[in-house]
Amino acid sequence: MHDKILILDFGSQVTQLIARRVREANVFCEIHPCDVSDDFVRAYGAKGVILSGSHMSAYEEANDKAPAAVFELGVPVLGICYGMQTMALQLGGGVEAGKVREFGYAEVRAEGQTRLLAGIEDFRSASGEPMLKVWMSHGDKVSALPPGFSLMASTPSCPIAAMADEKRGFYGVQFHPEVTHTVQGTALIQRFVRDICAAKPDWVMGDYIAEAVAKIREQVGSDEVILGLSGGVDSSVAAALIHRAIGDQLTCVFVDNGLLRLNEADMVMDMFARNMGVKVIHVDASEQFLGKLAGVSDPEAKRKIIGREFVEVFQTESAKLANAKWLAQGTIYPDVIESAGAKSKKATTIKSHHNVGGLPDTLHLKLLEPLRELFKDEVRALGVALGLPPSMVYRHPFPGPGLGVRILGEVKKDYADLLRRADAIFIEELRATVDENSGKNWYDLTSQAFAVFLPVKSVGVMGDGRTYDYVVALRAVQTQDFMTAHWAHLPYELLGKVSNRIINEVRGINRVVYDVSGKPPATIEWE
């Protein structure tokens, strides 16, 4: 049994980054809504609790509080931003609206020595005080320390930027250690979970395989399992893990929905059926999917249609397997967290995920989701540990609905054909172009790169003739956590070559543009 950290979510869009930082310290954790019951908190068995940030104001009576049991467990507690504010209020301190709001970079001065911050600093002030470079995002502030607390850090506009009750192991920080902008954030969270909470650092993917295999065998028994194989990292790793556990009891169904990347079907069949010996059924359902998508422009409607059609295909194929009792999916933890936003009403749902929830009662299969508690980087590490080729494991993320959400507006077959050829050229040139400074190719230097089909036409000139053809946008980003991202500063020569090849080789496209939006305010995908 792993030691656990309980993270209570008050609706911050970056709560899952807290969990990622805890996992990076090799300590297991889970995110649960802030309004879980006292009984749940007591029964969870946490070695420590972390309270997330929020868009709310702690001093408004109607807003959420931490369950009282959090402060009665006798384990360390870390409050972040709103988490610090509700901790202060609930334990007898004060919170008020700040006269000066802080959003973005800030420099925090450490006050005295505490177990949490001892030895953690970025530089020294002119007077020799330890300083931290952090990321702030708040309008309210703690105005009075609760009894038993002392000042741990401050800024000129936020006199109580961090507080500590060393005796009880309660700590609050107004800044966000979970984001990469806080330079020492990883060290701070590791200090909290491993030193202060004394949680064992035993969450390691190589060791996780044996646990997961045993769990799958216990769940499944002698039943057969059907798995939707997309060729993406998540479903591929899920297939490899389940095959390791139950061998020929697994049958994978690879569905060509007409929205795949160029030559995707050949690559998937070659890797799994021919090289790994996995049973794979290849279903060409492109006409079915494209027919259902005809006339539909809304992104969420498209996602739901694609998800529904996947379920129908699986239902049809599973009926052919007499002993199939389980539907396996490559659902990962961020999918679960993001899609849960609408249910908990704690955070805004950015987009739905076709493989999370929504399964109809008519699907007479139990759900097997062996990656459900893993983040993407953990899934990749697991894939390597399972022996999958790095070229597959470290492919850029590809959305479950495929090109259906990279074609803006209505999805048509000719749009998909144009887009997959343009996208293939972009990826090919990224792989072929090496950055002189790092020695790496630009595919490896970007976290996600793809082409987007725009349903608009523009005038062009080719030869001596006028053209009136479609536009594609290129998107390439660099990110560590996929919650925030910077557009990739690709060389002009590379962009020029990609544009020239697309326009010359893909008849029907006469203009290529490059997306220079960050996340936020944009998302990485366009839909």
Side-chain angles (χ1 to χ4, degrees):
M1 181 70 70
H2 297 284
D3 285 347
K4 299 184 292 186
I5 300 295
L6 172 61
I7 300 169
L8 294 180
D9 180 23
F10 288 86
S12 169
Q13 291 291 352
V14 293
T15 297
Q16 68 172 273
L17 296 188
I18 303 172
R20 286 188 50 132
R21 298 294 170 257
V22 174
R23 299 276 187 94
E24 287 167 5
N26 300 119
V27 175
F28 183 71
C29 64
E30 288 181 327
I31 297 171
H32 289 277
C34 60
D35 56 1
V36 293
S37 68
D38 285 334
D39 287 343
F40 174 88
V41 172
R42 282 190 285 265
Y44 185 78
K47 294 284 286 187
V49 180
I50 300 178
L51 310 176
S52 84
S54 176
H55 57 280
M56 300 180 288
S57 293
Y59 50 76
E60 293 182 2
E61 195 64 35
N63 284 336
D64 291 311
K65 309 289 188 292
V70 165
F71 305 111
E72 300 165 358
L73 289 175
V75 301
V77 181
L78 173 64
I80 295 174
C81 195
Y82 181 92
M84 168 179 162
Q85 294 169 10
T86 196
M87 176 191 287
L89 271 182
Q90 290 181 239
L91 297 179
V95 175
E96 64 182 27
K99 294 178 181 177
V100 179
R101 299 191 300 170
E102 288 184 299
F103 293 99
Y105 176 79
E107 294 179 354
V108 170
R109 182 179 68 247
E111 307 279 353
Q113 288 289 310
T114 61
R115 288 184 67 195
L116 186 64
L117 295 184
I120 296 178
E121 59 185 72
D122 289 308
F123 66 98
R124 293 267 171 161
S125 68
S127 56
E129 297 158 313
M131 302 291 292
L132 293 170
K133 298 177 179 179
V134 305
W135 189 68
M136 291 276 200
S137 180
H138 69 103
D140 302 332
K141 64 182 181 181
V142 174
S143 55
L145 291 168
F149 279 76
S150 60
L151 182 63
M152 187 165 61
S154 64
T155 72
S157 58
C158 185
I160 305 176
M163 62 183 193
D165 180 339
E166 296 271 63
K167 186 175 180 180
R168 290 185 285 179
F170 294 168
Y171 300 88
V173 292
Q174 188 58 66
F175 55 89
H176 287 265
E178 68 271 31
V179 300
T180 55
H181 307 71
T182 297
V183 178
Q184 299 294 335
T186 298
L188 188 153
I189 289 177
Q190 181 167 314
R191 170 75 57 79
F192 177 73
V193 299
R194 288 175 58 168
D195 296 346
I196 295 173
C197 297
K200 293 192 299 289
D202 58 2
W203 182 249
V204 181
M205 285 303 98
D207 301 337
Y208 179 73
I209 293 175
E211 288 181 38
V213 164
K215 185 176 179 180
I216 291 167
R217 287 173 179 166
E218 182 183 355
Q219 274 186 281
V220 172
S222 60
D223 295 340
E224 289 189 13
V225 176
I226 183 171
L227 179 144
L229 185 62
S230 71
V233 176
D234 302 334
S235 67
S236 297
V237 173
L241 180 61
I242 296 168
H243 187 253
R244 172 80 65 93
I246 60 173
D248 285 347
Q249 290 169 243
L250 170 67
T251 300
C252 292
V253 177
F254 175 68
V255 180
D256 184 347
N257 60 2
L259 302 170
L260 302 175
R261 290 168 287 195
L262 193 67
N263 300 323
E264 187 97 41
D266 291 340
M267 185 275 292
V268 171
M269 295 303 293
D270 185 67
M271 179 184 301
F272 286 92
R274 288 183 278 276
N275 292 333
M276 292 177 58
V278 179
K279 289 193 295 185
V280 183
I281 298 170
H282 185 181
V283 181
D284 184 353
S286 53
E287 289 188 8
Q288 175 181 338
F289 277 80
L290 293 172
K292 295 290 186 179
L293 289 167
V296 179
S297 299
D298 179 72
E300 279 295 286
K302 290 193 292 185
R303 286 178 182 272
K304 286 182 170 60
I305 289 170
I306 292 168
R308 186 183 68 229
E309 295 308 307
F310 266 117
V311 171
E312 291 203 4
V313 171
F314 292 142
Q315 201 165 5
T316 300
E317 294 303 320
S318 67
K320 301 173 185 177
L321 300 170
N323 201 31
K325 300 291 190 295
W326 297 84
L327 171 65
Q329 295 190 147
T331 307
I332 65 174
Y333 202 32
D335 299 341
V336 177
I337 296 167
E338 289 185 18
S339 292
K343 293 181 182 177
S344 69
K345 296 183 171 58
K346 303 304 175 194
T348 302
T349 298
I350 304 302
K351 59 186 177 183
S352 64
H353 293 267
H354 77 271
N355 59 338
V356 180
L359 293 174
D361 294 334
T362 53
L363 183 63
H364 303 298
L365 295 171
K366 293 174 283 189
L367 207 52
L368 180 64
E369 297 175 314
L371 310 181
R372 189 179 176 88
E373 57 187 19
L374 303 184
F375 285 103
K376 177 72 78 173
D377 52 343
E378 295 173 322
V379 172
R380 294 188 195 279
L382 179 61
V384 171
L386 285 164
L388 292 173
S391 60
M392 189 283 292
V393 172
Y394 289 99
R395 288 177 85 191
H396 289 178
F398 189 60
L403 300 182
V405 290
R406 289 180 178 174
I407 297 169
L408 299 198
E410 184 181 3
V411 177
K412 297 181 180 179
K413 183 181 184 301
D414 56 336
Y415 293 176
D417 290 340
L418 291 173
L419 178 57
R420 77 177 104 246
R421 290 165 59 203
D423 184 77
I425 289 171
F426 186 28
I427 299 303
E428 181 182 323
E429 291 299 335
L430 286 171
R431 290 189 185 278
T433 307
V434 176
D435 172 57
E436 293 180 0
N437 295 324
S438 67
K440 297 181 179 180
N441 68 56
W442 275 99
Y443 184 84
D444 291 338
L445 288 172
T446 53
S447 308
Q448 197 166 352
F450 53 91
V452 179
F453 183 87
L454 308 184
V456 295
K457 287 188 173 184
S458 71
V459 174
V461 178
M462 298 184 75
D464 293 324
R466 174 186 184 274
T467 62
Y468 190 56
D469 289 326
Y470 290 106
V471 181
V472 294
L474 306 179
R475 178 71 158 150
V477 299
Q478 293 173 315
T479 177
Q480 290 184 307
D481 50 37
F482 288 89
M483 295 298 292
T484 61
H486 300 287
W487 62 274
H489 292 215
L490 300 181
Y492 292 153
E493 294 80 5
L494 170 57
L495 288 170
K497 186 175 183 180
V498 172
S499 175
N500 190 56
R501 280 195 61 192
I502 290 174
I503 291 170
N504 280 286
E505 297 176 30
V506 185
R507 187 180 294 269
I509 296 173
N510 70 353
R511 192 177 298 269
V512 176
V513 299
Y514 188 52
D515 181 352
V516 294
S517 310
K519 176 185 179 178
T523 55
I524 295 175
E525 297 283 351
W526 278 42
E527 285 193 343

